[in-house]
Amino acid sequence: MKGLDLAKLQAYLDSPPLAATMFAGGRSNLTYAVTDGTNRWVLRRPPLGHVLPTAHDMAREHRVLSALSEAGFPVPKPVLLCDDTSVIGAPFYLMEHVDGTIYREAADLERIDLHALTLTLVDTLADLHSLDPLTIGLGDFGRPEGFNERQVRRWKKQLDASRSRELAGVEELHARLAVDIPAGGPGAVVHGDFRLDNVLIGPDLTVRAVLDWEMSTLGDPLSDLALMLVYAGRPLLFRDGQPVAPIDLPGHPSLDEMAARYAERSKRDVGDLHWYIGFAAFKLAVILEGVHYRYTKGQTVGPGFDTIGAMVPVLIEQGHRALEGH
């Protein structure tokens, strides 16, 4: 299987014969369901080929999952971490398999209470940000002071490392973001990529597990909120093979309602999110440009990568519009 040598993994685990399937939908780290016929796990490893500096750190992801699971936050419990690249060709970790649904099809969301589900996601994010990093053993997981300033610099570096084409307006957007950067309030554990299809949902529409913690750190929680709002307006879902934005589906709450719900639950001031929305659009543009770069190099696994590149210019424009007050 591409990206996973089952024979070597079986030898490393000293397990019965293994079978594995790749989870669809991943655009970054590769994720596989693995079973020995009795036990079920999920394996995470970095993407193939072009990997940006500081990205795809399996040890960090394993650490935050350990801390959050012990704190009672809904995440899969990690099982083991392996940094020996000779096993499958890259560091990896195993975590427990959690049953639940990842919603990617518009038709599936139209059969449930999407309004209630979306507000539950907002509540889950607010609950994450309410955790005291020091109390749960993540006091040194990042540096909240100067977080936004470092993020602006970091994602520009990531863009420069992944750029393979001209992107109109992206330099100007970065320059505008670098002016009057918000200092931010008290730091919190931030997910860094919180969205609908990074969450496992139970049949009662509760959150069974939040997934994909590769960009988590200590930082400004409003960055998470803004990115969730940007994602709500992006065509992440599919209807008859065509991309659809969650916010365009019946029952989805407005962005204002989502922000108000977060403010009520978290007791944080969300009165001015324009800079945060602008930066979230820039960050997502850089992430997707990195995915597009790997796609052009033939280093992606699975379908759905051919439309990623077209989203980048749209996000750049959205970033400019947010900074102009829209």
Side-chain angles (χ1 to χ4, degrees), residues 263-276:
E264 178 184 5
R265 182 92 169 190
S266 68
K267 310 304 179 188
R268 296 179 186 271
D269 182 5
V270 301
D272 186 1
L273 292 175
H274 289 108
W275 185 91
Y276 290 96

Side-chain angles (χ1 to χ4, degrees), residues 163-222:
R163 196 185 314 222
S164 59
R165 55 180 177 160
E166 288 298 318
L167 294 170
V170 72
E171 297 288 349
E172 294 81 0
L173 177 56
H174 173 261
R176 296 178 72 182
L177 288 166
V179 178
D180 296 328
I181 299 175
V189 178
V190 294
H191 180 276
D193 199 26
F194 192 85
R195 64 181 194 263
L196 175 64
D197 60 342
N198 270 344
V199 179
L200 279 168
I201 304 299
D204 55 354
L205 300 187
T206 58
V207 174
R208 300 292 306 277
V210 180
L211 310 175
D212 293 358
W213 291 85
E214 64 188 89
M215 289 190 284
S216 59
T217 187
L218 301 188
D220 189 333
L222 294 187

Side-chain angles (χ1 to χ4, degrees), residues 47-125:
L48 307 177
H50 180 71
V51 176
L52 298 174
T54 76
H56 316 293
D57 187 332
M58 297 293 99
R60 278 184 64 82
E61 198 168 335
H62 180 271
R63 180 186 175 190
V64 73
L65 286 176
S66 298
L68 292 175
S69 63
E70 291 175 7
F73 187 79
V75 292
K77 184 178 181 179
V79 176
L80 65 85
L81 171 69
C82 176
D83 58 8
D84 182 354
T85 59
S86 69
V87 179
I88 66 167
F92 69 92
Y93 70 90
L94 288 180
M95 56 185 164
E96 67 175 353
H97 187 285
V98 178
D99 289 325
T101 300
I102 296 179
Y103 286 98
R104 295 194 176 95
E105 294 293 331
D108 294 332
L109 287 166
E110 290 169 342
R111 287 192 284 265
I112 65 171
D113 187 344
L114 180 57
H115 187 271
L117 173 59
T118 303
L119 295 184
T120 296
L121 293 182
V122 175
D123 290 348
T124 301
L125 186 63

